[in-house]
Amino acid sequence: MPPARPLASRIARRSVAAALLLFLSATVCASGPRWVVGPPYFTDPNAPPVKWYTNTLLYFTDPAGLSPYVTHAQADAIVAAAASVWNVPTASITLTQGGTLAEHISSSNSYLSATGPVFPADVQPSNYAAIQIAVLYDSDGSLTDMLLGSGASSPFECRQNAVTEDVDSITPAATIQHAILILNGRCTGPAPEQQLQLQYQLERAFGRILGLAWSQTNDNVFTRTPQPTTQQADNWPILHPIDIICGPYTYQCLPSPFTLRDDDLAAVSGLYPNFSYTPYPSPTPAPGKQWSYIQAGLAYGTLSFPTGQGMDGVNLVLQRWRGGTAAPEPWDDVSAVSGINFRVNNGNPVTGSPGSSWSASLGITRASVEGGFTFYWVPLDDPLGSANGPMLAVITTEPINPLYVGAYSVGPYRMGPIDPSGPPQTITSPYPIWPFTYSSAPYHGNFPPTGASTCSTSTDGTEATPAPVDPSGWWSGTLCAYGHTAWSSFSMKPNTAATLEVTALDDSGYATTSKAMPLLGVWNSTDPTGTLPTVAASPASFNTIALGTTAARIPASSAAQSLRFVIADARGHGRPDFAYRARLLYADHLQPSAVSLSGGVFTIAGTGFRPGNSVTIGGLPATVTSWTSTSITAIAPPASSFGATPVTPLDVTISDSGTAGSATISSALTYSASVAPDILQLVSAPPSLVAVNQSSSFAVRVLLADGITPVPNAPVIISFSGPYSGSLQTSLCPASPCTLLTDASGLASLTVTPNTWGSFTLQASAVGSSLSASFAAVDRSASFLQPTLYIASDTTLSSPVISPPQLAVLQNSAPAANISVTWTGSPGISFSPATSTTDAQGLATTIATLGPLAPGSQAAAQACAWSASPPSACAGLTAIAVPPADLRLHVVSGANQTIPSSTLFAPVVLKVTDTAGHPVAGATVDLYQTVDALELPCPATGPCPIPPTLARTTATAISDAGGLVTLTPLQIPATAETTSLAAATGTQGFIALSLIQQP
């Protein structure tokens, strides 16, 4: 939950003038004074903290009730409980109710004027002697709405607007005279928790009007990283900047919400100490009080860069290391911020002097306080710090949480914290911290120098003698040393507009908003020094869409401009880690300044360019082909893109989408019919007929109008089409259309490969011209019906033993007729004739002669259809010689015949194969047949009769292309007989069978 904030930081919702309440822009510090002041407004030159002019503060409450749920008496009890928390023995200040106001304060007797709110007389700052603090019971929310805007008093806004605190009178003697607290009655209700929530918020507001700062102590309780311990939560200060929200009532999110922590006690005791330099215990403090440093000590020191300059804005937390213990307490006890006494706003050349008001006079410029820190009150264990042995301090540096800005600021930089330079550091006090009495001095602990180690400004110019801008338009520097500024100069041609940019960098060289807060101001070189910018200025730091970047737009002038400009920190600060990268985005001239009606290539000369910058011509985009820091090459669109041919020169603008910066040359580019167009030249294209899956090149070249000079990096739009999406594969172009950039020779090329047959079209477009190429892809194939032949080794075969080989020829999946086929043999295979033509079925034949081939060897040949582009479709024929030992015989048909004597045996068909079952042609098969009379029945006694042999034959046969051999069984008509057959081939092929002819 955001805390009760000063009125001015919230009243902006009503757009009231800044002069309304000067104190409202004040800076806060940490765990100590809210404001530390200095000259010229304040009379004390030693940076005193702002505190009340009296230690006895009286607050007066509104005489009315706070709401229908909270009576006047109950409201006074809430106020008393919230105020009494700050009445601690070690602080000299006391808060006591002095009575009631003369009237109920509401919108009926109060109003908002041009100079601020006007309340009844007894609530005015001029009545401070009688009433120091006025507590107003805004029972209907009208005061809150009047000051903060309509609806601000809504119960839904109570986390922000339940309490409004207003310190409205601070004197040049650095004393607070008067304050107002406004309690929003609409934030009360029937639930007791609502009143306790208001009491908690009012408790925090009382601490603020006492002049106490927000504190960053045990901040992991807020961030939850790392997960906080119970002890850390117990020591999370009441004056933390932003509440944890764990439910409807934030006071329930921290233990003991109405008990001050050590850090809160340190803040109020340090700002309002009971202290005497005379020996303890004389003189005696006021009743109910004690000397602040009887049981507490002081610790202070410095944090600096290696250059010796102090490092401001670093949070420091102190852990106590009690005597007799092995380690420090595992929580932060008190905190401080370095540099809280140093000047907050030093002014700068862009916005001028901060002025002499009290809110502009915060801190001093004495070098000895830069980077200094003070722990104003470090609690000890006992009055003399010796009961358990001496206590040491462990002090650690850490960044301020970047959320703690504006009304929630911790440290001297209300406009945003500055990250420390270098890694976190920890020091342990070498000497004990003792009670700060007359006889003991505070502990003084300086951290070793860390962070950025150099501070060279030799290349930075001055206002009187600015340094020339880097020719590239890019340069780096550091606003190092307090109040340092960097001055540069450059010239602009007539009718040109430019952008200055500066980006703050962190220690790693990355853009940041937590180091320098750069501002830019631009003057004519003839303007007197010491004046505010006359040409251009950045209204505030980080005014662009780019992280950490500030820009100033320099408008065009009808005359040439000689300019100087400054880079300064908005606070007027400077230190070794305020690095920056600067840029002048400026377009000087075009070459050429005229293009043809088809558009064309031109180059912009200037500074501060980078890849990704875009170019527009008369508001229409040009195609950028290349970038350097000082030149951009682009292609102007055709004149037809404008609807009508432009008759006057057009503005050319370079834009940076990363920063929204731009540079313009007015009336810079002309479209002219007398200018010859650039040339798009076809270099190569696929032939009219391409085989499927065959790759070919499509290439074009872009040349200037002279027909010789190539145009590199020119975009060429490639589009293509085919039978269906994806039917054409292209290198570099995943889809149609796509853009290719020309190379140094002006060439843009890609490889195209059709993956199906059909018609295809390619087109290239550039510099206002287009070129097309078309081709047909054909799918051609050739295949042997029997691509592999197995023959017996050492034989020679030809037709009719083997059938003529047949080649099937297809184009686009259909038989291709009348296609010439070339037959090419090799040792072991020959063809005659060597050429033939396919028939209507796409078949081509010729006579082949195979062998002789040695056992186990092979012979290969091929047949190719077509001979012109695209390439021929070919198929291979292979003959394999089967050794005799691998020949086998099988009966295909004719076995197991039994027939009557009146019929004939059917032929017997045998098949010769190799061991894998492949048919083997040309194998010699030996055939043996014997005819025996049919065997008669055996007698009852005696031997069986032996049938006589009636006939016998022997023959040989050669297996055909299918490995087949056919034989006619030997047979004697009208005779009962048995025909026995035997066949053998090679060394392992043998078969025998018997056929029977019945009587």
Side-chain angles (χ1 to χ4, degrees):
M1 181 197 76
R5 290 178 288 165
L7 180 57
S9 66
R10 309 160 77 195
I11 206 165
R13 295 166 59 176
R14 297 297 305 269
S15 301
V16 177
L20 217 148
L21 295 172
L22 292 178
F23 63 91
L24 301 175
S25 61
T27 296
V28 295
C29 302
S31 185
R34 181 176 181 179
W35 300 294
V36 177
V37 296
Y41 178 84
F42 293 96
T43 56
D44 191 334
N46 295 313
V50 175
K51 56 184 179 179
W52 281 89
Y53 74 95
T54 177
N55 285 337
T56 304
L57 291 181
L58 298 179
Y59 64 84
F60 290 74
T61 61
D62 196 298
L66 182 56
S67 74
Y69 306 100
V70 180
T71 66
H72 172 75
Q74 291 171 326
D76 280 2
I78 292 173
V79 176
S84 64
V85 168
W86 297 100
N87 293 328
V88 298
T90 54
S92 61
I93 197 82
T94 58
L95 284 164
T96 308
Q97 183 170 7
T100 59
L101 301 173
E103 64 280 297
H104 171 54
I105 311 299
S106 69
S107 59
S108 64
N109 55 18
S110 306
Y111 61 93
L112 201 59
S113 74
T115 57
V118 177
F119 296 112
D122 61 335
V123 182
Q124 291 292 341
S126 58
N127 193 36
Y128 74 92
I131 297 176
Q132 290 86 53
I133 303 172
V135 183
L136 312 184
Y137 294 164
D138 187 14
S139 56
D140 60 359
S142 62
L143 290 177
T144 302
D145 287 342
M146 178 184 77
L147 297 172
L148 305 181
S150 178
S153 67
S154 166
F156 297 105
E157 300 290 329
C158 286
R159 282 180 176 150
Q160 292 79 26
N161 302 333
V163 179
T164 300
E165 53 95 354
D166 184 358
V167 178
D168 57 358
S169 179
I170 297 179
T171 71
T175 58
I176 303 172
Q177 288 185 330
H178 190 261
I180 296 175
L181 289 168
I182 302 172
L183 279 58
N184 182 1
R186 298 184 67 190
C187 293
T188 63
E193 292 85 356
Q194 291 177 287
Q195 281 66 258
L196 287 173
Q197 176 69 20
L198 183 67
Q199 177 184 329
Y200 165 70
Q201 291 170 277
L202 183 58
E203 169 192 27
R204 284 160 54 81
F206 266 119
R208 296 290 282 167
I209 65 171
L210 287 178
L212 304 181
W214 299 124
S215 165
Q216 178 176 302
T217 310
N218 299 297
D219 199 47
N220 63 310
V221 176
F222 174 70
T223 64
R224 319 307 288 179
T225 304
Q227 188 67 26
T229 66
T230 300
Q231 293 168 316
Q232 290 168 336
D234 288 339
N235 285 275
W236 192 40
I238 296 299
L239 288 183
H240 54 265
I242 303 175
D243 268 348
I244 296 170
I245 299 177
C246 62
Y249 306 108
T250 58
Y251 77 90
Q252 296 175 340
C253 304
L254 68 161
S256 304
F258 305 107
T259 301
L260 298 183
R261 279 49 166 172
D262 279 356
D263 206 38
D264 304 307
L265 294 172
V268 69
S269 301
L271 186 59
Y272 298 100
N274 291 309
F275 182 75
S276 173
Y277 280 102
T278 60
Y280 167 82
S282 177
T284 304
K289 300 293 183 176
Q290 68 181 47
W291 293 122
S292 301
Y293 293 101
I294 290 177
Q295 199 167 337
L298 276 169
Y300 69 95
T302 57
L303 181 65
S304 63
F305 291 93
T307 60
Q309 182 179 358
M311 188 188 302
D312 291 344
V314 180
N315 199 61
L316 300 101
V317 292
L318 184 149
Q319 294 172 281
R320 300 184 302 175
W321 193 337
R322 298 170 182 263
T325 60
E329 294 170 336
W331 66 85
D332 304 334
D333 194 61
V334 293
S335 66
V337 174
S338 64
I340 64 170
N341 294 334
F342 200 65
R343 176 58 57 89
V344 172
N345 189 351
N346 192 43
N348 60 78
V350 181
T351 60
S353 168
S356 59
S357 66
W358 88 264
S359 59
S361 300
L362 298 174
I364 59 176
T365 57
R366 190 181 304 149
S368 60
V369 302
E370 190 175 13
F373 61 88
T374 301
F375 294 94
Y376 290 97
W377 189 84
V378 182
L380 304 175
D381 284 337
D382 60 86
L384 296 178
S386 59
N388 298 311
M391 193 190 80
L392 302 179
V394 178
I395 304 173
T396 301
T397 65
E398 64 181 16
I400 293 174
N401 190 321
L403 293 177
Y404 302 156
V405 298
Y408 319 129
S409 293
V410 171
Y413 299 118
R414 183 181 179 85
M415 292 186 287
I418 300 177
D419 283 344
S421 184
Q425 296 189 83
T426 297
I427 59 171
T428 301
S429 59
Y431 306 108
I433 294 181
W434 296 102
F436 184 38
T437 64
Y438 181 80
S439 60
S440 63
Y443 166 68
H444 185 199
N446 292 331
F447 279 84
T450 187
S453 59
T454 60
C455 185
S456 174
T457 60
S458 59
T459 59
D460 292 344
T462 64
E463 186 175 15
T465 57
V469 167
D470 188 284
S472 70
W474 294 90
W475 69 99
S476 299
T478 305
L479 295 176
C480 81
Y482 183 73
H484 179 69
T485 53
W487 293 82
S488 300
S489 64
F490 68 101
S491 297
M492 293 174 58
K493 289 185 176 180
N495 303 315
T496 59
T499 301
L500 275 170
E501 295 174 354
V502 57
T503 301
L505 305 177
D506 62 16
D507 291 349
S508 299
Y510 296 109
T512 182
T513 57
S514 58
K515 291 288 189 180
M517 296 182 66
L519 291 180
L520 289 162
V522 185
W523 293 257
N524 289 303
S525 61
T526 56
D527 290 335
T529 59
T531 59
L532 293 179
T534 58
V535 176
S538 51
S541 298
F542 313 131
N543 62 335
T544 74
I545 60 175
L547 177 67
T549 300
T550 303
R553 173 77 172 166
I554 304 173
S557 172
S558 58
Q561 300 183 81
S562 177
L563 305 172
R564 71 172 184 266
F565 69 91
V566 70
I567 300 173
D569 179 65
R571 298 156 294 212
H573 283 225
R575 45 193 253 180
D577 61 343
F578 275 14
Y580 64 84
R581 179 177 62 252
R583 174 195 196 187
L584 171 61
L585 179 56
Y586 168 63
D588 187 80
H589 64 276
L590 269 61
Q591 179 63 39
S593 59
V595 295
S596 73
L597 298 183
S598 298
V601 179
F602 64 96
T603 299
I604 307 168
T607 62
F609 303 147
R610 64 177 173 181
N613 289 166
S614 61
V615 175
T616 56
I617 302 170
L620 293 184
T623 302
V624 179
T625 64
S626 67
W627 300 265
T628 69
S629 62
T630 57
S631 68
I632 292 178
T633 300
I635 299 177
S640 59
S641 301
F642 296 89
T645 300
V647 296
T648 59
L650 300 176
D651 296 349
V652 175
T653 298
I654 298 92
S655 300
D656 191 319
S657 61
T659 64
S662 64
T664 298
I665 309 177
S666 300
S667 302
L669 187 67
T670 301
Y671 281 86
S672 174
S674 62
V675 176
D678 294 336
I679 299 171
L680 180 65
Q681 183 183 79
L682 181 64
V683 176
S684 65
S688 59
L689 202 62
V690 175
V692 171
N693 298 323
Q694 176 187 349
S695 297
S696 54
S697 174
F698 181 58
V700 296
R701 178 172 278 113
V702 179
L703 303 171
L704 292 181
D706 60 12
I708 299 173
T709 306
V711 179
N713 295 312
V716 179
I717 300 175
I718 303 293
S719 58
F720 48 87
S721 62
Y724 56 83
S725 176
S727 60
L728 186 66
Q729 300 300 310
T730 58
S731 65
L732 307 178
C733 276
S736 174
C738 72
T739 301
L740 302 181
L741 296 179
T742 58
D743 60 17
S745 67
L747 187 72
S749 65
L750 73 162
T751 299
V752 296
T753 307
N755 55 29
T756 189
W757 57 273
S759 298
F760 295 85
T761 299
L762 299 163
Q763 180 173 283
S765 300
V767 294
S769 300
S770 295
L771 295 172
S772 298
S774 298
F775 66 93
V778 293
D779 186 7
R780 292 176 171 178
S781 65
S783 60
F784 279 100
L785 298 186
Q786 189 176 356
T788 304
L789 299 174
Y790 296 86
I791 65 173
S793 60
D794 300 317
T795 61
T796 300
L797 305 177
S798 62
S799 179
V801 176
I802 57 171
S803 302
Q806 290 183 301
L807 183 73
V809 179
L810 301 177
Q811 179 167 298
N812 299 340
S813 303
N818 299 315
I819 302 301
S820 175
V821 176
T822 301
W823 304 82
T824 304
S826 66
I829 302 179
S830 61
F831 299 106
S832 178
T835 60
S836 61
T837 304
T838 59
D839 59 17
Q841 287 73 43
L843 297 176
T845 62
T846 189
I847 301 300
T849 301
L850 308 180
L853 297 175
S857 65
Q858 297 182 11
Q862 74 172 6
C864 294
W866 296 284
S867 58
S869 178
S872 304
C874 299
L877 179 67
T878 302
I880 300 175
V882 181
D886 291 344
L887 296 177
R888 299 293 187 268
L889 268 177
H890 307 275
V891 178
V892 176
S893 63
N896 301 319
Q897 297 184 57
T898 299
I899 61 173
S901 60
S902 59
T903 60
L904 297 177
F905 288 116
V908 174
V909 180
L910 305 179
K911 185 176 184 180
V912 182
T913 70
D914 60 10
T915 55
H918 300 122
V920 178
T924 299
V925 180
D926 295 321
L927 302 172
Y928 304 92
Q929 295 190 71
T930 301
V931 179
D932 295 318
L934 190 64
E935 185 174 339
L936 297 175
C938 294
T941 59
C944 293
I946 298 174
T949 297
L950 304 179
R952 179 182 287 116
T953 63
T954 300
T956 61
I958 304 298
S959 60
D960 63 12
L964 300 178
V965 172
T966 302
L967 62 90
T968 300
L970 186 62
Q971 181 178 9
I972 298 176
T975 302
E977 63 171 331
T978 297
T979 300
S980 298
L981 293 91
T985 186
T987 60
Q988 302 293 323
F990 176 79
I991 194 169
L993 52 88
S994 296
L995 308 178
I996 298 175
Q997 180 176 282
Q998 298 286 358

